[in-house]
């Protein structure tokens, strides 16, 4: 079973995919995280995409499709997985559906985290991320009252290069114009709209409630 974490930048896809991955015992793949790792490691791919990421533009569809489908064919993805930030264009969505069909797998389920733009802007201008374990934090929360070190691994937290106000606004525009139309492809039991403007634990409870009836053989941890 493939579950797509869908929503505007800063809607909590990364936050919820961590929780869901632990709950369902399947891996989570974030295309944004993968591309940022390539940049941090200074690989050839990383050098090619670095400027695109920093300015909030998309990486080429064919390249991302290839990266994702290569992963989906690995044995640890056999039972299911979470995709965070993919697909992001109608072309990517159609490619994924065709790939799943040809592999004899069921259609993906979409978890759509709905969050208003003004909330997004506040969240992303105050986000910090651990460069080591990739956990995200928000400077407005109690966690970071006394420290800017990661609570999981102790590394010094950083701001992402695309979390600048003008880039966030550009990412939001692209989401509405290019990514939003994907939702028309997912209807009925494959579409789960979740109010993402609630505390993270409440958002998680609502996702669990919505997905539970369609887990298709996956055994949640509780
Ligand atoms: P990507 O890394 O996917 O970025 P994004 O979609 O812009 O999403 P974010 O990671 O910014 O936010 P999120 O929804 O994960 O929120 P988070 O949980 O961190 O992609 C980056 C770039 O890579 C793209 O711009 C593009 O260039 C490229 N790329 C990636 N995929 C691609 C593709 N398929 N095709 C082409 N190019 C691609 O939460 C945000 C903040 O809010 C945090 O501080 C968090 O602590 C806080 N928070 C989370 N949930 C809550 C809550 N419920 N209440 C209050 N605060 C919350």
């Amino acid at each position: 079973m493939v579950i797509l974490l869908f929503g505007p930048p800063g809607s909590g896809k990364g936050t919820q995919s961590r929780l869901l991955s632990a709950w369902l015992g399947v891996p989570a793949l974030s295309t944004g995280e993968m591309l940022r790792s390539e940049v941090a490691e200074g690989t050839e791919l990383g050098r090619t995409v670095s400027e695109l990421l920093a300015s909030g533009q998309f990486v080429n569809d064919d390249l991302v499709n290839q990266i994702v489908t290569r992963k989906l064919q690995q044995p640890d993805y056999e039972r299911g997985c979470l995709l965070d930030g993919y697909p992001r264009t109608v072309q990517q969505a159609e490619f994924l559906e065709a790939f799943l069909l040809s592999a004899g797998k069921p259609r993906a389920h979409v978890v759509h985290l709905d969050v208003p733009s003004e909330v997004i802007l506040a969240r992303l201008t105050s986000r910090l991320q651990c460069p080591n374990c990739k956990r995200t934090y928000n400077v407005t929360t109690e966690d970071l009252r006394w420290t800017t070190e990661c609570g999981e691994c102790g590394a010094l937290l950083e701001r992402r290069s695309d979390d600048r106000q003008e880039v966030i606004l550009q990412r939001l525009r692209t989401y509405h114009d290019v990514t939003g139309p994907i939702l028309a492809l997912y209807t009925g039991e494959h579409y789960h709209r979740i109010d993402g403007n609630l505390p993270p634990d409440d958002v998680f409870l609502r996702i669990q409630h919505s997905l539970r009836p369609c887990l298709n053989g996956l055994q949640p941890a509780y």
Side-chain angles (χ1 to χ4, degrees):
M1 180 181 184
V2 175
I3 299 169
L4 313 179
L5 268 305
F6 191 92
S11 54
K13 302 182 295 293
T15 305
Q16 296 301 325
S17 92
R18 240 168 221 276
L19 298 169
L20 280 166
S21 173
W23 182 55
L24 294 173
V26 295
L29 172 65
S30 156
T31 41
E33 230 26 276
M34 275 188 66
L35 294 166
R36 276 189 294 280
S37 298
E38 297 281 343
V39 174
E41 286 163 23
T43 64
E44 196 183 331
L45 172 61
R47 286 195 296 279
T48 314
V49 301
S50 159
E51 272 188 33
L52 292 174
L53 260 65
S55 60
Q57 295 176 66
F58 286 176
V59 171
N60 174 284
D61 282 340
D62 292 341
L63 182 68
V64 185
N65 288 337
Q66 240 184 55
I67 292 176
V68 173
T69 46
R70 210 175 293 149
K71 276 277 184 193
L72 290 183
Q73 292 172 74
Q74 290 178 2
D76 47 336
Y77 283 72
E78 185 56 38
R79 287 178 50 242
C81 71
L82 299 149
L83 294 180
D84 161 4
Y86 177 92
R88 228 176 248 254
T89 64
V90 170
Q91 199 273 0
Q92 291 178 16
E94 288 173 348
F95 179 90
L96 175 68
E97 286 307 313
F99 170 81
L100 293 175
L101 188 67
S102 69
K105 293 180 189 294
R107 289 200 69 202
H109 279 258
V110 173
V111 172
H112 173 201
L113 300 174
D114 206 1
V115 181
S117 297
E118 59 277 13
V119 175
I120 298 285
L121 198 58
R123 280 189 192 177
L124 291 186
T125 47
S126 55
R127 170 168 64 183
L128 290 179
Q129 185 172 30
C130 175
N132 183 36
C133 72
K134 313 299 177 197
R135 206 183 138 184
T136 54
Y137 295 86
N138 206 283
V139 293
T140 57
T141 60
E142 191 63 17
D143 283 356
L144 296 189
R145 194 156 167 213
W146 306 113
T147 177
T148 47
E149 286 174 6
C150 176
E152 303 257 321
C153 70
L156 201 60
L157 302 177
E158 293 176 349
R159 194 172 290 282
R160 261 170 53 174
S161 65
D162 56 352
D163 278 350
R164 290 170 287 132
Q165 179 148 331
E166 69 279 15
V167 179
I168 297 167
L169 293 173
Q170 171 60 43
R171 287 159 64 200
L172 278 169
R173 277 193 294 273
T174 310
Y175 171 78
H176 288 292
D177 295 347
V178 182
T179 306
I182 291 177
L183 287 179
L185 303 179
Y186 296 94
T187 50
E189 59 166 358
H190 290 266
Y191 175 73
H192 309 259
R193 182 199 164 271
I194 306 288
D195 182 356
N197 192 18
L198 296 168
D201 289 347
D202 292 348
V203 175
F204 183 49
L205 280 175
R206 285 172 187 230
I207 299 177
Q208 287 178 304
H209 180 75
S210 190
L211 284 181
R212 222 180 261 282
C214 31
L215 282 178
N216 205 13
L218 284 182
Q219 296 292 333
Y222 48 92

